[in-house]
Amino acid sequence: GAGVSQSPSNKVTEKGKDVELRCDPISGHTALYWYRQRLGQGLEFLIYFQGNSAPDKSGLPSDRFSAERTGESVSTLTIQRTQQEDSAVYLCASSLRLATEAFFGQGTRLTVV
Amino acid sequence: KNEVEQSPQNLTAQEGEFITINCSYSVGISALHWLQQHPGGGIVSLFMLSSGKKKHGRLIATINIQEKHSSLHITASHPRDSAVYICAVSPTGNQFYFGTGTSLTVIP
């Protein structure tokens, strides 16, 4: 497809389980961003990838959160030992390069029960 | 203190009205983005600005770098414009600071 694709679109998981969220950026986009949006709150930055450079992980809320990206392709965001406060919409965005227009995926709605 | 402040937080308008949403920011930026988030949660990028003015259909975005202020205007508003409009600034390009959004409802 032409846009940023995220999967799954919805995920319900039990507290304590691990989850993996996937983002397929637009082909050729070197920059990839993960954000989350808790219910009724604004967007929070989680992590940023730019090409093959070391990612900016400054927004990850705890060591239970990790993300990987191989080159300029798919990224996965992993949350270990999920907690109820992890419930949110996780959004991925990509841009052609630094400081250019970002395009967002539809998000993954994560519910931890 | 938030790096990005938007006003108003909520806005209700009659169909056909001219709408303005304002964004003020406190950091130096390389670009400012206007985003639209629909009730289903999907986010669409409307504009990316680093200076001046851009127009796309009924939407117009302006930015004043000296005053650290941007406005999003919607002419001849329509119910399908109902959404949350989010201002985001990018100081270096590797991260965005987001406003809390303006929830717009356009009544037929």
Side-chain angles (χ1 to χ4, degrees), chain B residues 20-97:
Chain B
T20 296
I21 299 170
N22 294 300
C23 174
S24 296
Y25 54 92
S26 59
V27 296
I29 67 170
S30 62
L32 181 143
H33 304 253
W34 280 103
L35 310 170
Q36 181 190 54
Q37 184 171 32
H38 281 279
I43 293 179
V44 174
S45 175
L46 298 175
F47 295 103
M48 188 186 80
L49 294 164
S50 53
S51 65
K53 175 180 174 178
K54 286 190 176 179
K55 184 176 189 292
H56 184 224
R58 296 180 293 104
L59 302 177
I60 302 166
T62 63
I63 187 169
N64 185 315
I65 297 293
Q66 287 74 30
E67 295 185 4
K68 295 187 175 178
H69 181 269
S70 175
S71 293
L72 176 68
H73 305 285
I74 305 175
T75 61
S77 59
H78 190 276
R80 65 175 173 267
D81 297 326
S82 298
V84 175
Y85 292 83
I86 302 169
C87 173
V89 300
S90 181
T92 60
N94 68 340
Q95 189 177 140
F96 298 99
Y97 294 109

Side-chain angles (χ1 to χ4, degrees), chain A residues 47-69:
Chain A
I47 189 168
Y48 159 78
F49 295 89
Q50 170 63 52
N52 293 317
S53 302
D56 176 356
K57 303 181 181 180
S58 59
L60 294 178
S62 78
D63 59 8
R64 295 186 296 104
F65 286 72
S66 63
E68 292 184 350
R69 187 186 188 196

